[in-house]
Amino acid sequence: TPETAERTAVPGVATGLAVTGAGGEVLFVEASLADPETGSTGVSLTGQLGEVMKESAQIALSYLRSHGAELELPVSDLKDRGVHVHVPAGAVPKDGPSAGVTMVTALGSLLSGRPVRAEVAMTGEVSLTGRVLPIGGVKQKLLAAQRAGASTVLLPKRNEPDLDDVPAEVREALEIHLVSDVREVLELALSPANAPRPVTLAAGA
Amino acid sequence: TPETAERTAVPGVATGLAVTGAGGEVLFVEASLADPETGSTGVSLTGQLGEVMKESAQIALSYLRSHGAELELPVSDLKDRGVHVHVPAGAVPKDGPSAGVTMVTALGSLLSGRPVRAEVAMTGEVSLTGRVLPIGGVKQKLLAAQRAGASTVLLPKRNEPDLDDVPAEVREALEIHLVSDVREVLELALSPANAPRPVTLAAGA
Amino acid sequence: TPETAERTAVPGVATGLAVTGAGGEVLFVEASLADPETGSTGVSLTGQLGEVMKESAQIALSYLRSHGAELELPVSDLKDRGVHVHVPAGAVPKDGPSAGVTMVTALGSLLSGRPVRAEVAMTGEVSLTGRVLPIGGVKQKLLAAQRAGASTVLLPKRNEPDLDDVPAEVREALEIHLVSDVREVLELALSPANAPRPVTLAAGA
Amino acid sequence: TPETAERTAVPGVATGLAVTGAGGEVLFVEASLADPETGSTGVSLTGQLGEVMKESAQIALSYLRSHGAELELPVSDLKDRGVHVHVPAGAVPKDGPSAGVTMVTALGSLLSGRPVRAEVAMTGEVSLTGRVLPIGGVKQKLLAAQRAGASTVLLPKRNEPDLDDVPAEVREALEIHLVSDVREVLELALSPANAPRPVTLAAGA
Amino acid sequence: TPETAERTAVPGVATGLAVTGAGGEVLFVEASLADPETGSTGVSLTGQLGEVMKESAQIALSYLRSHGAELELPVSDLKDRGVHVHVPAGAVPKDGPSAGVTMVTALGSLLSGRPVRAEVAMTGEVSLTGRVLPIGGVKQKLLAAQRAGASTVLLPKRNEPDLDDVPAEVREALEIHLVSDVREVLELALSPANAPRPVTLAAGA
Amino acid sequence: TPETAERTAVPGVATGLAVTGAGGEVLFVEASLADPETGSTGVSLTGQLGEVMKESAQIALSYLRSHGAELELPVSDLKDRGVHVHVPAGAVPKDGPSAGVTMVTALGSLLSGRPVRAEVAMTGEVSLTGRVLPIGGVKQKLLAAQRAGASTVLLPKRNEPDLDDVPAEVREALEIHLVSDVREVLELALSPANAPRPVTLAAGA
Ligand SMILES: [Ca+2]
Ligand SMILES: [Ca+2]
Ligand SMILES: [Ca+2]
Ligand SMILES: [Ca+2]
Ligand SMILES: [Ca+2]
Ligand SMILES: [Ca+2]
Ligand SMILES: [Ca+2]
Ligand SMILES: [Ca+2]
Ligand SMILES: [Ca+2]
Ligand SMILES: [Ca+2]
Ligand SMILES: [Ca+2]
Ligand SMILES: [Ca+2]
């Protein structure tokens, strides 16, 4: 959708899938790095995140701090630049581990300067070694992805059996990738490095 | 009004719109930077702000820390000068994300040394990438803006449908700008750089 | 009174006015700066202060950190010397924003080395830009000031209408100044720079 | 099992045994070290760990900080690299001291670059001097180990009497080692230094 | 008594007077400074102290940090040496502001290397400027002082009226000094600088 | 007993005596110092210690920080090496001041490299000046010491009257030392400096 395309037009924003009392929903994970000239360091987490979701953000950061160089990401940027991860809307409490892959993707996008593909939505817990662990609410999340106009969805491989419960027309309308390592997520979700999408200062050199 | 004009006469103060049990209301967001000679650093948030409103202030600061240089703001000032954001009155609890644009504007005014136009009031959640997200209470807020003598109001574009509920005479009395990026807010709200309004030390060199 | 004169004989102590369940009362705000040789830094707030009153102290400090140089105060003293603001009696809980002007005055007295005039009592919320905002309990506070032997009282200009409720004999016995900026408070409350009152090491060189 | 083999294929992951309301269970303790270029330091503990389990992680770290050099581990790595210990699944609360040996093993594996043997599961409290103290739930834990495909289990020597309650066929199917010092655990659990298993950057040079 | 003499034989210990449910009581305030070689800094407060009593300790320290040089105390010792104030017995909760003078005295004794006179007991709130403010329980405290073998008691001058309620034989058995400034307390309580009492390393060079 | 001998075989472990709902009990206080190469500093306290017991550990450390040099302990080791004090079992909550002497002894053993004698058990509150203050549960503690195979027990001198309640056969089986200063405890409890017991790296050079 235009909304999703606009939100993800800059590096550092990834589209996640959540389940609320009212069904599935799309949410955006936003990440930023402070200009080193501001002297800001440390990590800020906002969006009324619960304990488990804050831990997901810590895990995402630690994953990139230990595996980022392997992924050719400029991890030394994390040294002198404060990191902020925010999940709008600001007044809505959110919790759970299933935004793990979305957080790694938003941060990986920011560090690489490669925007996340507008058509990709994702869900999955991430472990500290980058494994993608299963989540709940597969059916509602796929319905929400379709409703929001996503054409590609990244799901944990260990959630494959849950696809049986998803209406065939939804499964067919979506390109569903089953992933077991967050590197696959990054490969599928990030635009190519030289794509012509606009790049903000926050993500560039 | 004279009150609003006096409050916003110095850089660092922006006029926001809030909704309380008693209807709409004008509030002032005040920002200050410590003199570097005081050795003060860090961020202080006062005014009995709730969790969500404190997060709004963190988001506003992170937005300026990552996008300030693009906006030609002297972001290195943030390095050696403690930031304080206060929302009078001091004893009244306040919460919610809708002062986001007002916080970015107060801080942008302070950094630029350009006072906020006395006739401008505003409301809107801000995301970490600077998008202006919709808020509630449009009707009460516009009535409050008019009552307080504001002639220009900045509203989230995604709140456009809510204008249908606003009395026509209010809509006509006010110049309403629908905005989707906080850069538009800064352009519309800040006085020109060379305006003859007084500039305090806190915002100057 | 002798009590007030003794308490305010040294720079760093200002006489405020408060309202308790038992009517109006005089309170003393005391401020000190650590000897730089002690290596002490940071801010201590004591006197069983509630959240709002602690925020008042933060606002008073931030006001002086950003506007102190304009006021020709040696703000660099704040860099290497820990600040302590205390409000006796130590076991009595206190709260509210109305000691704001008293806190700015105690700190301004300390930094300038100019004791506060023994005959002056004051009340008023302070904003981050130094505006004096209205407070409650005007009648009880003026009665308390008179009882304690103060001859001069500084009140927020926006509390002018409340003077109608104050007995004429009290209004006439007191010299009441209505103020709208904390700079007026400092001008009215501080003794001249070269007055012969004793100056302690904490405030001098 | 393939799951266990995949999880422990990289240094820094050890297989523990826990008891929940639903019986015994396998859990994985994951450890990572930040790339020194990220400037990250300190310790993060995630996985909804309770107080006692967080203390276990502190004990494991202190054990290695004081005894690591004796064990020929490169403890200076701990100086400039933030440590993170995580226990998936992220949303499941966990507590108790019995993951102590698993935490020492995960961290010892990470520091040595030697992956933990896929067939080894373990349980035991660790003291600050490295002694292995007894735990509860021996029977359920051995059943869980067998169910998960582990062939070797490390148990506290002081739990030897509890083996009487374990079905003979389980005891025979498993190679059970009774240990009293965590050094025995490391010797039995870590793969040889030159084994051909893949080594990630986080653990290597 | 021998107990009091032994407790106060080293610099850094002063005898205070408290009131509990069971009447008056003697308590000892102990202060220590870390050896600079330990690298320890900061302030520790122990003895199950309540909020108000912890604030008393902060006030005592700030008083000495700002007025210590006037009193010819080596305040630079506070820079590189962690301060610890403890009030045995460790398991008994204690609160209230009336140990203020005792805390200043224990710290003043420690810094000066002059032990507190064994025969002196004291009570009084201290303000940040060193004024001695009135306290409660005068009668019970004097009885306790006598019972514990103290011959000299230091009381706030503003408690003079409370002496009417004290039995004449108690008043006559004790040398009671009414004090209004903590400097008087230090003068009366500390042994002469060259007294032959033993001096520990913590207080000496 | 073999258990006690094994636990105290390394410097840094001392045997204490506690009282629980189920009678007297032996507990071990373990202390460790991080290898300076790990960059670890600060103090960790684990074992589900309550507030009073955590304060005992702070007091023990402060005692050694101010008096350690007098005792010829290498206190500068505390500067660059994080200290950890742990009291197994990890899941059992513990509280009270009576482990004070045991904590000083464990830390003194660690710093001196002298193991604690296996046959010595102890109990007593410690003050900041090293005085040994009385504790409760003398009878149960002595019974527990005997049961655990200790032949020597160190008790506060001020608990002497409580020995009347201890069965004569227990009193005779044990060598009981009544102590009033923690230096006596260290002299009685630590093995001679050149004893042939093994010394770990944590305590050696
Ligand atoms: Ca919350
Ligand atoms: Ca590829
Ligand atoms: Ca509050
Ligand atoms: Ca720049
Ligand atoms: Ca323009
Ligand atoms: Ca309180
Ligand atoms: Ca003037
Ligand atoms: Ca929790
Ligand atoms: Ca071997
Ligand atoms: Ca407590
Ligand atoms: Ca607890
Ligand atoms: Ca001897």
Side-chain angles (χ1 to χ4, degrees), chain A residues 21-40:
Chain A
E25 233 175 68
V26 156
L27 57 74
F28 299 98
V29 172
E30 300 182 328
S32 77
L33 282 171
D35 193 323
E37 292 192 21
T38 62
S40 165

Side-chain angles (χ1 to χ4, degrees), chain B residues 22-191:
Chain B
E25 235 175 68
V26 156
L27 58 74
F28 299 97
V29 173
E30 300 182 329
S32 78
L33 282 172
D35 194 322
E37 292 193 23
T38 63
S40 165
T41 57
V43 176
S44 302
L45 304 175
T46 55
Q48 287 298 291
L49 311 185
E51 280 187 11
V52 173
M53 200 161 176
K54 280 182 180 162
E55 291 193 353
S56 286
Q58 285 184 271
I59 294 163
L61 271 164
S62 288
Y63 175 77
L64 291 170
R65 284 181 186 132
S66 68
H67 293 82
E70 282 173 82
L71 301 166
E72 300 188 5
L73 295 171
V75 291
S76 62
D77 272 19
L78 296 168
K79 187 167 192 170
D80 304 313
R81 307 180 66 174
V83 180
H84 190 143
V85 174
H86 176 58
V87 188
V92 180
K94 305 161 198 89
D95 209 352
S98 76
V101 294
T102 323
M103 286 175 162
V104 173
T105 302
L107 287 162
S109 163
L110 184 66
L111 285 168
S112 67
R114 295 163 59 187
V116 178
R117 295 177 192 274
E119 72 276 16
V120 175
M122 65 193 74
T123 181
E125 179 173 343
V126 171
S127 87
L128 200 49
T129 57
R131 293 187 65 78
V132 180
L133 303 179
I135 47 73
V138 168
K139 183 179 165 185
Q140 295 102 305
K141 286 175 172 174
L142 289 184
L143 288 167
Q146 191 185 29
R147 227 182 301 126
S151 60
T152 302
V153 174
L154 312 186
L155 272 191
K157 187 160 183 38
R158 283 169 59 187
N159 280 111
E160 190 163 14
D162 299 313
L163 290 175
D164 295 349
D165 303 328
V166 180
E169 64 272 22
V170 175
R171 277 198 328 245
E172 266 152 47
L174 294 170
E175 186 184 322
I176 298 174
H177 292 271
L178 296 165
V179 294
S180 56
D181 189 292
V182 77
R183 294 175 213 219
E184 300 166 60
V185 175
L186 291 172
E187 278 192 26
L188 292 161
L190 298 188
S191 303

Side-chain angles (χ1 to χ4, degrees), chain E residues 38-192:
Chain E
T38 63
S40 165
T41 58
V43 176
S44 301
L45 304 175
T46 55
Q48 287 298 292
L49 311 184
E51 280 188 10
V52 173
M53 200 161 178
K54 280 183 181 162
E55 292 193 354
S56 286
Q58 286 184 271
I59 294 162
L61 271 164
S62 289
Y63 175 77
L64 291 170
R65 284 182 186 130
S66 67
H67 293 81
E70 280 174 84
L71 300 166
E72 301 190 4
L73 295 171
V75 292
S76 61
D77 272 18
L78 296 168
K79 189 168 190 169
D80 304 315
R81 306 179 65 175
V83 180
H84 190 144
V85 175
H86 175 58
V87 189
V92 181
K94 305 162 197 87
D95 209 351
S98 76
V101 294
T102 323
M103 286 174 162
V104 173
T105 302
L107 288 162
S109 162
L110 183 66
L111 286 167
S112 67
R114 296 163 59 187
V116 177
R117 295 177 192 273
E119 71 276 16
V120 175
M122 66 193 73
T123 181
E125 179 172 341
V126 171
S127 88
L128 199 49
T129 58
R131 292 187 67 77
V132 180
L133 304 179
I135 46 72
V138 168
K139 182 179 165 186
Q140 297 102 305
K141 285 175 174 175
L142 289 184
L143 289 166
Q146 192 186 28
R147 225 182 303 127
S151 60
T152 303
V153 174
L154 313 185
L155 272 190
K157 188 161 182 38
R158 283 169 59 187
N159 280 112
E160 191 164 14
D162 299 314
L163 290 176
D164 295 349
D165 305 328
V166 179
E169 64 273 23
V170 174
R171 274 196 331 244
E172 268 152 47
L174 295 169
E175 186 182 321
I176 298 175
H177 292 272
L178 296 165
V179 294
S180 57
D181 190 291
V182 77
R183 292 176 216 220
E184 301 167 59
V185 176
L186 292 172
E187 278 188 29
L188 292 162
L190 299 187
S191 303

